[in-house]
Amino acid sequence: MAVTEWEWDETLYAGSAPYYAVGRMPYPPELAEAIGAELGLDGRGRLLDVGCGPGSLTLVLAPLFEAVVGVDADRGMVAEASRRAREAGVTTARWVHARAEELPPDLGTFRVATFAQSFHWMDRSAVAERVRGLLEPGGVWLHVGATTHQGVDGDDPLPRPRPPWDRINTLVAEYLGPVRRAGQSALPQGTRSGEDEVMRRAGYSGPTRFEVGGDRVVDRSVDQITAGVFSLSSSAPHLFGAELPGFEADLRRLLTEASDDGWFAERTRPIAVLIWRP
């Protein structure tokens, strides 16, 4: 495809929602404990999770608040979040299909707003301004940085082989081309950086930073690694078009050949939490 300047469009994660819960490693339980302790959360107030995806972080933090609102621009993600909330028996969650730039005016105010693996897809200046107006006095913005589809690179011994991520990425490029795809356009330079500057321009101070978890060894199956690939914007199912069955067959063949019993091991990455205050 021709490389054009990237603009958001609604196909960014089209078809990825069902793969998220299977293919992404869950946030560690101590993440909620650490956030609760750091902010003195006591079950009161409301949480706004912007770019919530299938509720991966929203549902982890829900017990810390009276109510939570998850917002995502992908309709499939909102439906999956709602389904997972019902399965988990979470009755305090509301799910909203909307872009962060167009947050509905009737959402109310919030004690905490969270962004996890999502802010870089947005008009960051506009969203930072909009969310600041939704925070109650003393409210905070949390940026949760994580890579949950893939573990830490390394050559230290693990009980099972590591997933062959270099070969997986090569296979994706053979089907989709060498430039990272994203929705209907591409990201030749990757996603944007400079978020600290954006936040300070929008009137936030900080950040205070801490890390949670990491360095756990987890087992992952061929199905989980396959789902992890399809959970990514750069290899979302719709991008493959009619070649999707062929790609999945090649991916599963690659993974099966890389592990005698179809299982892999990865060492998890730490979760970084940045606290910004208006």
Side-chain angles (χ1 to χ4, degrees):
M1 66 173 293
V3 178
T4 59
E5 183 176 352
W6 185 78
E7 292 184 5
W8 180 88
D9 69 79
E10 62 184 7
T11 68
L12 183 60
Y13 279 97
S16 291
Y19 296 101
Y20 236 85
V22 177
R24 299 287 182 117
M25 290 176 278
Y27 291 110
E30 58 265 34
L31 178 62
E33 298 170 9
I35 289 174
E38 186 74 22
L39 299 180
L41 300 176
D42 52 8
R44 294 182 294 176
R46 303 170 72 230
L47 167 71
L48 174 66
D49 189 14
V50 186
C52 66
S56 305
L57 180 63
T58 332
L59 298 177
V60 169
L61 299 183
L64 301 176
F65 298 89
E66 295 172 17
V68 297
V69 177
V71 179
D72 201 275
D74 185 270
R75 193 177 298 278
M77 291 291 186
V78 172
E80 183 69 7
S82 179
R83 183 192 68 79
R84 293 181 65 202
R86 289 194 302 272
E87 279 190 354
V90 175
T91 60
T92 57
R94 172 189 174 193
W95 308 101
V96 177
H97 174 233
R99 291 193 67 192
E101 296 85 348
E102 300 166 354
L103 289 170
D106 63 347
L107 289 181
T109 58
F110 298 88
R111 188 171 183 180
V112 177
T114 50
F115 290 74
Q117 306 179 69
S118 61
F119 191 42
H120 55 279
W121 294 121
M122 302 170 186
D123 181 337
R124 297 175 299 174
S125 296
V127 172
E129 291 277 1
R130 199 172 190 93
V131 170
R132 190 180 65 184
L134 296 176
L135 292 174
E136 64 185 41
V140 300
W141 168 306
L142 292 187
H143 186 102
V144 179
T147 300
T148 52
H149 76 282
Q150 178 179 351
V152 178
D153 294 330
D155 53 12
D156 55 307
L158 295 180
R160 301 178 186 274
R162 284 179 166 85
W165 284 108
D166 286 348
R167 293 168 61 196
I168 292 170
N169 293 335
T170 297
L171 180 64
V172 171
E174 288 174 0
Y175 275 83
L176 300 181
V179 179
R180 177 179 171 180
R181 297 286 295 277
Q184 297 303 305
S185 50
L187 287 170
Q189 306 300 324
T191 54
R192 297 162 296 179
S193 58
E195 290 180 356
D196 285 10
E197 181 182 349
V198 170
M199 295 297 288
R200 294 193 180 104
R201 279 203 312 264
Y204 294 81
S205 63
T208 302
R209 185 182 192 277
F210 63 91
E211 288 190 351
V212 176
D215 208 35
R216 290 182 298 118
V217 175
V218 297
D219 292 334
R220 306 188 71 198
S221 68
V222 168
D223 286 345
Q224 289 170 326
I225 301 299
T226 300
V229 173
F230 287 137
S231 76
L232 299 170
S233 61
S234 56
S235 47
H238 75 94
L239 293 174
F240 296 92
E243 293 187 303
L244 179 61
F247 170 77
E248 182 169 355
D250 285 346
L251 174 59
R252 288 182 176 276
R253 187 178 305 112
L254 185 163
L255 293 172
T256 301
E257 292 172 352
S259 172
D260 291 338
D261 63 358
W263 284 89
F264 301 89
E266 293 203 88
R267 193 177 299 280
T268 60
R269 301 170 185 263
I271 309 297
V273 180
L274 280 67
I275 304 173
W276 291 94
R277 301 180 186 275

